[in-house]
């Protein structure tokens, strides 16, 4: 690891990308507007904090950039280049003219229901394509979803979070220590908060948090600290979105609540199922794409029998069981009586054979 100064305006990354203006900054990365001096076009360059094993990291970034670029999905930002410059990983992407959804919520507050529905379908489509290619985002949040000039949603940062996560398992740098949790606390899946391995269903939980935030103006959980927020994701039931947004169609609300289930098995099992459920016109139609909570538990609790059975044959079953139990009781009494008679007869025979007894 080197002691290079942080990047700033006027610096050229990888001998090619001239940094011009900082567009945003997160916990471990900064996004810059830059000029590609080779192709003479504007691009966005995301630069991550210094990392160890620069050569290994560079190869991981190139591999992830190739995988992301191969997706070629209209709702996933196009990746042009990736690598490491002066010990800092960078990702070069298309420059989008619109703001991120985080910017929009800050400026506009809660968004209209149908606008959020369209965003949800577009992001679910992007996740479906990524998951099919074996990529899990791990940091779906409003700040990682940007708008095109036409208003379409585009998911940012596929690949870069995966690289940081891999580094966390092997490096000793304070930013990437073993056991570090990758993601943003307000949109973190419970299994991520517990430091467990994740799959695409963690992205679906995070998307549920994003939709809740877009509809209400704030995420479902907000603790005093990041750790408190993570614990809330792991342990507390998700608040009902209908309570904060009463005009939300019930079917849409059902899908969001399903996405916010603690157990991944109780959530929609694919991003495609999410998109289909969100498009549904009724709660019943939406439920067809959602699992029944608890259906995959090892122990199944059977529901109690209704007091008035729908089938007349069922109404006779308790009486038939009582009658059978009565027959078994009478049979047992009869067997005991026979045994006593046999014992008495044997005793009388012994007495008749031996007068001394």
């Amino acid at each position: 690891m080197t002691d290079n100064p942080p990047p700033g305006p006027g610096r050229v990354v990888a001998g090619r990308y001239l940094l011009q203006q900082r567009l945003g900054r997160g916990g471990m990365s900064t996004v810059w507007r830059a000029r590609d001096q080779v192709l003479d076009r504007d691009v966005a360059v995301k630069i991550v904090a210094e990392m160890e094993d620069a050569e290994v990291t560079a190869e991981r970034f190139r591999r992830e950039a190739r995988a992301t670029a191969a997706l070629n999905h209209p709702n996933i930002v196009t990746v042009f280049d990736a690598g490491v410059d002066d010990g800092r990983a960078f990702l070069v992407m298309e420059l989008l003219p619109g703001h991120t959804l985080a910017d929009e919520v800050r400026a506009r507050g809660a968004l209209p229901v149908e606008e959020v529905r369209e965003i949800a379908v577009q992001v679910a489509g992007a996740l479906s394509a990524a998951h099919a290619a074996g990529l899990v985002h791990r940091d779906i949040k409003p700040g990682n979803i940007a708008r095109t000039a036409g208003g379409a949603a585009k998911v940012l940062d596929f690949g870069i979070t995966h690289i940081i996560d891999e580094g966390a398992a092997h490096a000793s740098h304070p930013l990437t220590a073993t056991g570090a949790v990758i993601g943003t606390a307000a949109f973190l899946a419970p299994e991520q908060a517990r430091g467990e391995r994740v799959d695409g269903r963690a992205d679906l939980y995070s998307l549920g948090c994003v939709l809740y935030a877009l509809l209400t103006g704030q995420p479902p959980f907000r603790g005093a600290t990041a750790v408190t927020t993570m614990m809330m994701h792991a342990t507390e039931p998700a608040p009902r979105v209908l309570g904060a947004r009463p005009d939300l169609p019930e079917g849409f609300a059902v899908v969001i609540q399903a996405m916010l289930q603690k157990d991944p098995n109780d959530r929609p099992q694919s991003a495609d199922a999410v998109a289909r459920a969100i498009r549904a016109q009724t709660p019943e139609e939406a439920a067809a794409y959602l699992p029944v909570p608890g259906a995959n538990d090892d122990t199944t609790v059977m529901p109690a029998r209704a007091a008035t059975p729908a089938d007349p044959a069922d109404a006779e079953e308790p009486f038939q069981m009582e009658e059978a139990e009565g027959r078994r009781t009478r049979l047992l009494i009869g067997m005991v009586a026979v045994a006593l008679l046999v014992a008495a007869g044997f005793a009388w025979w012994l007495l008749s054979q031996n007068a001394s007894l």
Side-chain angles (χ1 to χ4, degrees):
M1 187 171 61
T2 65
D3 294 323
N4 295 317
R11 177 174 174 177
V12 178
V13 175
R16 176 173 178 175
Y17 306 105
L18 175 63
L19 303 185
Q20 297 176 330
Q21 177 187 1
R22 191 175 69 190
L23 300 177
R25 180 166 54 188
M28 291 184 290
S29 62
T30 306
V31 180
W32 294 85
R33 182 189 187 98
R35 188 70 178 177
D36 184 344
Q37 297 179 318
V38 174
L39 298 179
D40 195 27
R41 64 180 176 183
D42 291 330
V43 295
V45 177
K46 170 163 277 195
I47 301 177
V48 182
E50 269 189 290
M51 301 178 69
E52 296 181 347
D53 300 324
E55 291 303 319
V56 174
T57 302
E59 178 54 35
R60 289 173 179 166
F61 262 74
R62 294 187 186 100
R63 184 179 70 239
E64 292 296 324
R66 287 194 295 267
T68 304
L71 294 175
N72 192 27
H73 192 278
N75 298 113
I76 296 177
V77 69
T78 303
V79 174
F80 299 134
D81 193 8
V84 172
D85 182 71
D86 286 339
R88 292 183 174 90
F90 69 88
L91 195 68
V92 182
M93 307 166 287
E94 65 175 311
L95 181 65
L96 297 174
H99 297 292
T100 68
L101 295 183
D103 297 327
E104 291 198 32
V105 171
R106 278 192 292 267
R108 301 170 56 191
L111 304 184
V113 170
E114 290 309 311
E115 185 177 350
V116 175
R117 188 194 299 272
E118 186 58 31
I119 291 171
V121 170
Q122 292 177 7
V123 175
L127 292 177
S128 181
H131 295 166
L135 291 175
V136 179
H137 193 287
R138 307 171 191 224
D139 195 19
I140 293 293
K141 59 184 179 182
N144 275 337
I145 304 172
R147 296 274 207 165
T148 66
K154 283 212 174 193
V155 180
L156 314 176
D157 280 4
F158 271 108
I160 201 164
T161 304
H162 183 81
I163 295 303
I164 296 172
D165 202 13
E166 282 191 350
H170 302 95
S172 57
H173 187 278
L175 286 177
T176 55
T178 300
V181 175
I182 305 302
T184 303
F187 304 93
L188 202 68
E191 56 269 33
Q192 284 179 279
R194 293 190 294 265
E196 300 171 358
R197 294 183 65 87
V198 302
D199 56 26
R201 294 172 297 180
D203 285 347
L204 301 185
Y205 180 94
S206 298
L207 177 56
C209 293
V210 169
L211 300 181
Y212 188 102
L214 298 183
L215 289 165
T216 67
Q218 61 183 10
F221 297 108
R222 180 178 291 177
T225 66
V227 173
T228 303
T229 303
M230 290 165 58
M231 291 301 298
M232 294 170 73
H233 280 291
T235 61
E236 292 191 12
R240 293 181 64 253
V241 66
L242 272 176
R245 190 65 187 265
D247 64 323
L248 185 67
E250 185 179 350
F252 197 179
V254 166
V255 180
I256 293 175
Q257 297 301 147
M259 297 169 73
L260 294 176
Q261 291 294 313
K262 303 299 181 189
D263 187 341
N265 291 323
D266 292 338
R267 299 174 203 150
Q269 296 300 288
S270 71
D272 183 64
V274 168
R276 292 174 182 271
I278 289 174
R279 290 193 189 100
Q281 299 300 311
T282 65
E284 293 76 18
E285 185 181 347
Y289 301 101
L290 307 175
V292 177
N296 295 310
D297 291 349
D298 293 334
T299 302
T300 302
V301 179
M302 299 300 292
R305 180 179 297 275
T308 306
D311 188 346
D314 290 339
E316 298 176 4
E317 183 178 350
F319 299 101
Q320 293 171 352
M321 292 177 61
E322 292 176 6
E323 184 179 351
E325 184 66 25
R327 285 198 299 267
R328 285 193 292 271
T329 301
R330 290 193 295 272
L331 178 61
L332 180 60
I333 294 174
M335 292 175 63
V336 171
V338 169
L340 290 175
L341 288 174
V342 170
F346 182 69
W348 177 82
W349 179 80
L350 285 176
L351 290 172
S352 64
Q353 297 297 315
N354 192 336
S356 63
L357 291 175

